[in-house]
Amino acid sequence: RGARELAGVLREAAVGRARGDALRAASDALRGYALAHPGTYLAAQRAPDPGDAEAVAAAGEAVEVFVALLAGYGLDGSDAIHAVRAVRSALHGFVTIEADGGFGMAESVDESFARLVAMLDAALGS
């Protein structure tokens, strides 16, 4: 359920957008979902049992959103999968630390997240 919900949120955020705009929108959507539904979000991050066709399809939906988004940067095939892993790892790390209360310094967490996404956009666009 969580994987399908997350994929829907990501898809809705990214549709009609390209490159940095799509990345920012999908990143914000992922962050919002992770903070609003921490248990469901974490459960959706696990690779599904290969024998569970429905779970495999659901998990693939979120990855497909990122693959489509990254096509705007000219990435496809194996390059897109590596980039999806990098983007998901960066976003997941941030939202997990945030959800666990790990950002205690005075600087804005929102600004830090925006800068992370901008760094990802710059790296993908180069």
Side-chain angles (χ1 to χ4, degrees):
R1 175 181 63 88
R4 281 224 159 82
E5 283 180 4
L6 179 57
V9 166
L10 294 172
R11 190 177 305 106
E12 185 176 316
V15 73
R17 301 173 189 266
R19 293 183 61 104
D21 288 339
L23 179 62
R24 277 185 293 283
S27 297
D28 288 342
L30 183 143
R31 181 181 180 210
Y33 185 87
L35 295 175
H37 310 283
T40 304
Y41 168 77
L42 286 175
Q45 300 311 303
R46 297 177 194 210
D49 176 347
D52 185 343
E54 184 177 343
V56 168
E61 289 178 28
V63 172
E64 289 169 10
V65 172
F66 277 108
V67 168
L69 186 157
L70 293 171
Y73 290 94
L75 298 169
D76 60 12
S78 186
D79 289 336
I81 296 303
H82 292 301
V84 166
R85 288 177 177 166
V87 169
R88 285 184 62 212
S89 295
L91 297 176
H92 175 72
F94 191 100
V95 300
T96 302
I97 293 169
E98 182 179 18
D100 288 343
F103 295 130
M105 295 179 176
E107 284 77 15
S108 167
V109 176
D110 292 338
E111 177 66 18
S112 294
F113 188 76
R115 289 182 183 207
L116 169 67
V117 176
M119 285 181 221
L120 292 170
D121 179 41
L124 291 166
S126 57

